[in-house]
Amino acid sequence: MEYVSPEGLRLDGRRPMEMRQLRAQIGAVAKADGSAVFEMGNTKVIAAVYGPREVQNRSQQIGDQALVRCEYSMANFSTGDRKRKPKGDRRSTEISLVIRQTMEACILTHLMPRSQIDIYVQVLQADGGTRSACINAATLALADAGIPMHDLVTSCSAGYLNSTPLLDLNYVEDSAGGPDITVGILPKLDKVTLLQMDAKLPVDIFENVMQLAIEGCKAIATYIGEVLLENTKQLEYRKGL
Amino acid sequence: MLHSKTFSKKTRGGKVQKLVREVYLRDDIYCGASFCKVCDTSAARFTASASTILVLDTNVVLNQIDLLENPAIEDVVVLSVVLQEVKNKNTAVYNRIRALCSNPARKFFVFSNEFHRDTYVQNMTGESPNDRNDRAIRVATRWYQSHLGDAVKVLLITNDRENKKKATEEGVSAETIESYVKSLGQPALLDLLAQPASEDIIMEEVEDLRPSKRKVVYPEHKPMSEITAGLTSGIYHQGKLRVNRYNPFEAYVGSESIGDEIVVYGRGNMNRAFDGDIVAVEILPQDQWREDESLSIADEDDDNEEVHLVPSSADDAPRTTNSVSGSASDTNPISGRPCGRVIGIIKRNWHSYCGSLEPMPMPAGSGGLVYALFVSKDRRIPKIRIQTRQLENLLDKRIIVAVDSWDRQSRYPSGHYVRSIGEIGDRDTETEVVLIENDIDARPFSAQVLACLPPLPWSVSEQDLVNPIRTDLRHLRVFSVDPPGCKDIDDALHCMMLPNGNFEVGVHIADVTNFVHPGTPLDDEATQRGTSVYLVERRIDMLPKPLTEDICSLRADVERLAFSVIWEMTPEAEIISTRYIKSVIKSCAALSYVEAQARMDDSRLMDPVTKDLRNMNTLAKTMRQRRIERGALTLASAEVKFQIDTETHDPLDIGMYQIREANQMVEEFMLAANVSVAEQILKHFPGCSLLRRHPTPTKDMLEPLLRTAASVGLNLDISSSKALADSLDHAVSDDPYFNKLIRIMATRCMTQAVYFCSGDLSPPEFHHYGLAAPLYTHFTSPIRRYADVIVHRLLAASLEIYKLPTIFRDRPQQTSIADNLNYRHRNAQMASRGSVELHTLIYFRKRPIDTEARIVKIRSNGFIVFVPKYGIEGPVYLTPRGEKGGGEWFVDEQQQKIKKMDGSLSYGILQAVKIHLEVVEPQPNRPKLQLTLL
Ligand SMILES: [Zn+2]
């Protein structure tokens, strides 16, 4: 299968180093303390954050820091087949864990002892790169909720098909079975907080692909920064400042 | 960058599913014209002075690729929508058009119209994908015209009448390929035009010169929907049609759905299918299952069985399951195998074929357009009707012809002339035909490939010696034993007595992978070639000459890099330990088989090398004995050697290849090295090792052998390879040649060993029947076989010398490499045989001869003989050709004898007969060998 034509175009018309179109909207769920919708091409994810609030189950309370919980799910209509998506299966448990760990690493949990932060992410439409989109949406929602963080985590994936590193795989490219790296970074601190790959790749190629994913994360960080700034301006405007 | 979205629907597995795909439309796709003022011209392709730019429709690319490859066609836009359609319909054509587009010498430019902001076309409701694509082509053409302005003419080339009409309506200039080629004023180009299929053009144009031919000859092909339904419900069976190489009226379809081969008899039942086509077959009612319609040697029309080389395995042998029936009467024995007929063709395997035109008188008013019949050298291919304006020129030439279509009304498919190779019978022409027929690339290596070679003169460097992966073995007494005049020496040996009475034996193989690195152009080229090809008068190398004959060749008295397998063996040849090391060696002698044999036989010689040879020979004999006890078969083949005149390259003498003890000795150690390496790589890489297996022959395959043996009163036990080996050993009679004959017949019943990827099969299937070995691979000839290069890499990785190249993690790719190696290997053998057949013909052209032959098969009007001295086989007729039996002779099936009615004469199987061998020319320029009984 040819995923990159000799003319250097991918199946959807992008070039190897190009990302899909990004869209973000802050405050999609009024009831939540913070919420956001994040889109990467046809992948669309909604995130809602509640907290910091009192710990519901006292036995889970942590004395010196906040408890971060995360629940990931996929809407039944998120893929073309509209099948009922199981909750709590291995895949979603694993993704919940990945998102929780990634977010926990950037939240200043020690500032909010004995409290609880709940992050809910749901995939509304899946077209590859859901993991990254979830993390980006969660970051925006956390920022919207005003939860103190070290930095804004952003995430992006990159793959390697037809001997070419490709940024931000869509569903077709994702199902090609090639290596697929998901990276999460703290752009200001220049630190990698998430790195996932479930394939074998020679080290030199791996470094190239990972570098590409990091570049993608940085671009998303810039975009998220702009979105937050724009949102703040709107708030200022509404408050008449 | 501009983004947009589209929605498309697709069905998959019967269900209708809505799939949403994004399309990013761009403004950075350029037109490819160097004179364009707007676009980035760095990737421009068209000639600066181009006056006309052609935009091709899909049907033109699909049907006229031979014409497009002609340099007269330039400044062509290939749209991505066209490429996509071509790719879906015909991969071979797709690869050829892609090659044109990437060739910097040709002015073909790929325009990604599907992603361009101005040429992207949204599907309209109710519009078929075909119509949408046609519209996309027209939109792109119009864009080109408006983009480039009046300076150039943009011409849409289409043979689709509907598309052409719409284009003209929309103000796009469009022409058919015929009228465009005519406007170029080069009549020779017209021959290259594919003959349009009748549905595309008006009937008068295609009407045959002989109206009587316009009747329906073949049954209709079922529509695709009906075929698909039939396949799912199990009425039809799908498979690849393979035509019997020796009887083009018989074909087989291996069907997975019934787990057996379906036999298709006759052109009518084959219903226009070609060898290699994927077809749908319907099984005939059981009372119509019959064996071959005719048992006579001469089958239909003028297609005669020809004298050919003796097959060396079942893959070359004529597939005859038909027993010789009582006489050529009307008794059609019911066959056990299902017979069927083709009801539809799922995928065509048409390509171009080598051959010549059937001799025909020059029609009056020559110089004009004539129809001629093309006869392929490959007998599996039917005759092809072509149109030509240069008949006189082509009659005595070998030419290449491509097939275009085959409609129900014509007995033969129609095609078009591609190019001519040279005069028929000329050695160089015929050799090229052999190469083309077997898809062998004999072009010189490209500059990129040669750039991968180390600088010459090359020698072992200090770095190689201090490299920790390498062991210095220069102190060992290493020598090589090869055929005389061998320049690409890839193996050498050493043997040393150890203080404890055991022997250290080493097999040293040229370290090719030290110079051929994965992913380089050199490696890619070698992967493609797969093997060196040995013709009678020349060799086509897999690797460039500096590597094969110098840098890698383990010549005497020079230091060379090697990959060594070193065993400690007891005097009983039991392996105690095995080591694998990369080494530096210095061979002290490059012996020929004859020299080595002479040294061993000369009891006066007591020099160290001779002593080593004798020790090794003793060990080899023990190993060989043990192998035979395990059940390895000693097979025989009739290999022919030519003595070639060094100046004229004409064959001077011809004879059988003599096998000496020294050959067997070297062979034994190579086998052992291959087995040891197979064990090592499989242990480390159970999922991706490249191994070689030899499938156990089925009872069906051994049937001809059993029948022949039975007719001479011999009972063979075929229950296992061991049993067969034993009964072959016991097959002796007062005839000294008898045993060899039986072995030759056994050999031709077996299929060949094949390469495979260990992850694709389960361990019991790894078995090598002929060698009676559970594991086997190829390690010992990396200079001339690519399989060995792969195995070297695996072995090096198992020793942690190098990392395993990425390709080994890609199972499908590895499987396709193994398939390609099998294909190349097979073709190389076919080419060698073709070359020997050609030289046999040249040799006997001037030297008709009387010689002894053996009868190997009885036919109703004669018999097939084997001529041991020249390794050839062919028919001898007792009755004149065309007459079937004639009543004078009858066949006694029980005794496998053909007898004269009055009982005065009879011929039986394996009987020796005197025959006369000569070259005849029944038709001008068509020489062939003929055997007649004396
Ligand atoms: Zn332009």
Side-chain angles (χ1 to χ4, degrees), chain B residues 610-627:
Chain B
T610 308
K611 276 199 215 159
D612 288 351
L613 275 171
R614 289 196 191 119
N615 283 338
M616 292 182 88
N617 198 23
T618 318
L619 289 171
K621 278 183 178 162
T622 320
M623 289 157 76
R624 187 174 162 78
Q625 191 51 41
R626 200 174 304 133
R627 197 159 58 80

Side-chain angles (χ1 to χ4, degrees), chain A residues 189-232:
Chain A
L189 304 174
D190 209 9
K191 274 188 182 156
V192 172
T193 58
L194 166 69
L195 178 59
Q196 274 196 312
M197 178 176 77
D198 39 17
K200 286 184 179 176
L201 205 57
V203 175
D204 43 342
I205 297 173
F206 170 77
E207 277 166 2
N208 283 338
V209 179
M210 174 162 155
Q211 201 50 50
L212 183 62
I214 291 177
E215 294 303 319
C217 292
K218 287 183 179 160
I220 292 174
T222 315
Y223 176 74
I224 283 183
E226 282 166 15
V227 170
L228 286 172
L229 198 64
E230 181 61 26
N231 188 48
T232 315

Side-chain angles (χ1 to χ4, degrees), chain B residues 29-33 36-41 143 147-148:
Chain B
I29 292 173
Y30 305 121
C31 68
C36 179
K37 305 279 188 300
V38 196
C39 295
D40 180 286
T41 53
W143 177 85
H147 178 78
L148 294 175

Side-chain angles (χ1 to χ4, degrees), chain A:
Chain A
M1 180 73 188
E2 190 181 87
Y3 291 96
V4 185
S5 72
E7 289 70 50
L9 292 174
R10 290 155 73 173
L11 296 173
D12 58 3
R14 284 183 289 158
R15 295 197 189 275
M17 312 281 219
E18 285 173 359
M19 210 161 3
R20 288 175 287 176
Q21 189 174 45
L22 300 175
R23 275 184 223 92
Q25 185 201 342
I26 291 176
V29 184
K31 249 173 90 177
D33 295 314
S35 63
V37 173
F38 194 84
E39 288 176 58
M40 301 171 83
N42 275 341
T43 295
K44 188 171 192 175
V45 172
I46 186 164
V49 168
Y50 295 87
R53 56 186 178 182
E54 212 172 314
V55 179
Q56 284 164 336
N57 185 346
R58 277 301 173 89
S59 63
Q60 290 177 335
Q61 181 174 313
I62 310 170
D64 55 353
Q65 62 177 58
L67 169 72
V68 178
R69 298 205 316 174
C70 176
E71 190 181 303
Y72 161 94
S73 60
M74 275 180 97
N76 291 342
F77 52 81
S78 62
T79 55
D81 52 10
R82 295 190 298 280
K83 273 202 198 104
R84 187 173 289 271
K85 299 283 178 296
K87 282 230 170 77
D89 66 330
R90 276 173 79 131
R91 184 172 175 274
S92 45
T93 316
E94 187 249 347
I95 298 182
S96 302
L97 186 71
V98 167
I99 300 172
R100 185 177 68 83
Q101 285 174 341
T102 313
M103 302 328 290
E104 207 172 18
C106 75
I107 298 173
L108 298 168
T109 47
H110 62 278
L111 295 180
M112 301 160 278
R114 293 183 302 281
S115 66
Q116 167 177 342
I117 299 166
D118 288 299
I119 307 169
Y120 297 92
V121 280
Q122 187 170 39
V123 177
L124 301 177
Q125 193 166 275
D127 187 23
T130 47
R131 230 167 265 241
S132 296
C134 286
I135 290 171
N136 296 332
T139 299
L140 273 174
L142 285 170
D144 183 37
I147 289 171
M149 292 187 278
H150 291 289
D151 196 351
L152 295 163
V153 217
T154 56
S155 171
C156 189
S157 71
Y160 187 71
L161 291 170
N162 297 151
S163 309
T164 319
L166 300 179
L167 186 63
D168 188 20
L169 304 187
N170 67 21
Y171 178 72
V172 182
E173 293 165 333
D174 204 15
S175 13
D180 173 16
I181 304 179
T182 302
V183 176
I185 65 161
L186 299 174
K188 292 224 171 67
L189 304 174
D190 209 9
K191 274 188 182 156
V192 172
T193 58
L194 166 69
L195 178 59
Q196 274 196 312
M197 178 176 77
D198 39 17
K200 286 184 179 176
L201 205 57
V203 175
D204 43 342
I205 297 173
F206 170 77
E207 277 166 2
N208 283 338
V209 179
M210 174 162 155
Q211 201 50 50
L212 183 62
I214 291 177
E215 294 303 319
C217 292
K218 287 183 179 160
I220 292 174
T222 315
Y223 176 74
I224 283 183
E226 282 166 15
V227 170
L228 286 172
L229 198 64
E230 181 61 26
N231 188 48
T232 315
K233 276 186 191 151
Q234 290 278 330
L235 287 176
E236 281 177 344
Y237 173 75
R238 266 184 241 148
K239 286 182 182 163
L241 289 170

Side-chain angles (χ1 to χ4, degrees), chain B residues 553-569:
Chain B
S553 181
L554 305 177
R555 293 181 299 152
D557 304 320
V558 286
E559 293 174 358
R560 286 289 176 258
L561 302 179
F563 208 159
S564 308
V565 178
I566 298 175
W567 301 286
E568 185 180 340
M569 283 184 181

Side-chain angles (χ1 to χ4, degrees), chain B residues 308-334:
Chain B
H308 55 83
L309 272 190
V310 168
S312 57
S313 76
D315 308 308
D316 312 324
R319 298 258 304 256
T320 40
T321 46
N322 51 316
S323 55
V324 177
S325 63
S327 64
S329 65
D330 52 355
T331 51
N332 272 324
I334 302 290

Side-chain angles (χ1 to χ4, degrees), chain B residues 466-757:
Chain B
V466 299
N467 193 336
I469 63 161
R470 242 172 240 292
T471 314
D472 189 348
L473 297 181
R474 285 177 297 171
H475 57 283
L476 291 177
R477 194 165 51 241
V478 173
F479 54 87
S480 61
V481 185
D482 286 286
C486 178
K487 284 179 183 154
D488 47 348
I489 304 175
D490 39 21
D491 53 86
L493 300 155
H494 89 271
C495 176
M496 184 168 69
M497 174 99 80
L498 295 172
N500 62 3
N502 287 344
F503 290 96
E504 182 188 273
V505 181
V507 167
H508 310 275
I509 305 299
D511 193 4
V512 172
T513 50
N514 192 63
F515 305 99
V516 182
H517 300 290
T520 56
L522 176 62
D523 188 51
D524 293 343
E525 183 75 27
T527 316
Q528 267 316 306
R529 296 195 177 207
T531 173
S532 293
V533 180
Y534 292 79
L535 302 184
V536 171
E537 83 293 9
R538 70 189 269 220
R539 185 183 77 208
I540 294 131
D541 284 320
M542 176 181 88
L543 294 168
K545 204 155 248 150
L547 274 183
T548 57
E549 292 190 356
D550 184 12
I551 298 171
C552 288
S553 181
L554 305 177
R555 293 181 299 152
D557 304 320
V558 286
E559 293 174 358
R560 286 289 176 258
L561 302 179
F563 208 159
S564 308
V565 178
I566 298 175
W567 301 286
E568 185 180 340
M569 283 184 181
T570 64
E572 291 75 43
E574 296 286 355
I575 295 172
I576 294 174
S577 66
T578 314
R579 282 192 297 151
Y580 310 89
I581 45 172
K582 291 240 175 182
S583 58
V584 184
I585 59 161
K586 188 173 178 183
S587 168
C588 66
L591 306 172
S592 72
Y593 289 128
V594 189
E595 282 173 303
Q597 191 66 47
R599 278 181 180 233
M600 286 195 279
D601 295 343
D602 188 345
S603 55
R604 289 165 306 176
L605 283 178
M606 290 306 278
D607 60 292
V609 170
T610 308
K611 276 199 215 159
D612 288 351
L613 275 171
R614 289 196 191 119
N615 283 338
M616 292 182 88
N617 198 23
T618 318
L619 289 171
K621 278 183 178 162
T622 320
M623 289 157 76
R624 187 174 162 78
Q625 191 51 41
R626 200 174 304 133
R627 197 159 58 80
I628 287 169
E629 278 162 21
R630 261 201 334 260
L633 296 173
T634 326
L635 298 172
S637 62
E639 269 193 58
V640 187
K641 262 269 176 281
F642 282 93
Q643 216 185 326
I644 298 284
D645 186 309
T646 38
E647 200 244 309
T648 62
H649 293 289
D650 280 332
L652 292 176
D653 196 12
I654 171 173
M656 302 293 277
Y657 189 74
Q658 198 185 350
I659 293 176
R660 294 184 175 79
E661 227 173 37
N663 295 35
Q664 292 184 336
M665 176 192 91
V666 174
E667 191 194 354
E668 206 55 50
F669 284 108
M670 295 307 138
L671 290 178
N674 287 336
V675 169
S676 289
V677 170
E679 285 164 0
Q680 166 79 4
I681 58 173
L682 190 68
K683 190 168 79 192
H684 284 81
F685 306 110
C688 63
S689 287
L690 184 76
L691 301 177
R692 193 162 167 83
R693 71 193 192 100
H694 185 207
T696 307
T698 59
K699 196 152 184 297
D700 275 0
M701 287 159 64
L702 292 171
E703 194 54 39
L705 171 68
L706 291 179
R707 224 179 12 243
T708 310
S711 69
V712 292
L714 186 67
N715 217 341
L716 292 178
D717 182 357
I718 55 159
S719 55
S720 71
S721 63
K722 169 78 179 140
L724 179 59
D726 287 345
S727 37
L728 284 177
D729 285 343
H730 294 126
V732 281
S733 78
D734 39 344
D735 178 356
Y737 202 71
F738 179 76
N739 190 270
K740 177 127 199 233
L741 266 177
I742 292 287
R743 282 187 201 275
I744 289 178
M745 295 192 130
T747 312
R748 60 197 283 179
C749 290
M750 318 240 171
T751 53
Q752 287 183 330
V754 287
Y755 298 109
F756 68 99
C757 166

